[in-house]
Amino acid sequence: MTEQQVETGEPDGLERLWTPHRMTYITGEDRPDGCAFCLAPGLPEAESLVVARGELVYAVLNLYPYNPGHVLICPYRHVADYTELTEPETVEVAAFTRTAMRVIRSVSSPHGFNLGMNQGSVAGAGIAAHLHQHVVPRWGGDGNFMPVIGRTKVLPQLLADTRLMFAKAWPVP
């Protein structure tokens, strides 16, 4: 058998959707030293995926989104639990969440949203040590067979393109 000839076996009738970018998430190769949410505000927007900055919190695209446009609202202060936020931080998290929803609606026209915080690793928090509010746009039919059967999420837009659209649409105070 030459290099040009590859034994592939019997066709199984399935199409393949290659997502090699997911290997860095699976292997953890791209995890920074330190808290990603503490490091992100100090990086250039294109690298950090920060969409908007406030006085006490900032909005950043999720590097591993559940859906296109999945935004996280994070306090600058390294705090794990919602009850540890100051009153001004709580108010700004709420205001940024509302603004994120408005921006995502104006740019992407989702049919709805999931909002939430996973408090602690047992509750599903990937970065449990730094509180973050999820703003996940949803569309009818986005929970199709791909994630259920194929364990794959199809994201039709590059994160850099999404970040740029949201940053342009984010109102300047």
Side-chain angles (χ1 to χ4, degrees):
M1 190 175 332
T2 68
E3 280 189 53
Q4 298 296 330
Q5 297 172 319
V6 177
E7 184 63 39
T8 60
E10 294 295 317
D12 59 11
L14 298 176
E15 295 291 326
R16 301 291 189 261
L17 177 63
W18 297 100
T19 57
H21 62 280
R22 298 282 298 159
M23 282 309 295
T24 57
Y25 175 73
I26 293 166
T27 62
E29 290 174 19
D30 65 345
R31 290 195 185 107
D33 292 330
C35 174
F37 295 140
C38 288
L39 296 171
L43 299 172
E45 274 79 3
E47 186 179 334
S48 68
L49 300 175
V50 170
V51 172
R53 298 169 189 269
E55 184 180 326
L56 302 170
V57 307
Y58 66 96
V60 62
L61 288 179
N62 189 331
L63 186 57
Y64 302 105
Y66 302 148
N67 266 350
H70 181 169
V71 173
L72 304 172
I73 310 301
C74 305
Y76 292 111
R77 193 166 63 94
H78 188 86
V79 58
D81 197 85
Y82 185 68
T83 62
E84 296 174 31
L85 290 177
T86 65
E87 190 64 29
E89 286 171 329
T90 304
V91 169
E92 196 167 356
V93 165
F96 259 59
T97 299
R98 290 170 44 158
T99 301
M101 291 174 66
R102 289 181 182 120
V103 166
I104 294 167
R105 277 190 183 118
S106 74
V107 171
S108 305
S109 303
H111 301 139
F113 290 90
N114 287 119
L115 305 175
M117 292 182 197
N118 300 327
Q119 294 282 266
S121 57
V122 298
I127 301 178
H130 197 131
L131 176 122
H132 51 285
Q133 165 86 5
H134 293 260
V135 181
V136 183
R138 300 298 308 269
W139 291 267
D142 68 12
N144 63 25
F145 72 94
M146 290 299 288
V148 175
I149 296 172
R151 306 286 302 153
T152 301
K153 191 71 176 178
V154 178
L155 301 167
Q157 188 172 56
L158 295 173
L159 289 172
D161 295 342
T162 305
R163 192 209 71 76
L164 187 59
M165 287 189 328
F166 286 6
K168 284 181 179 177
W170 201 277
V172 178

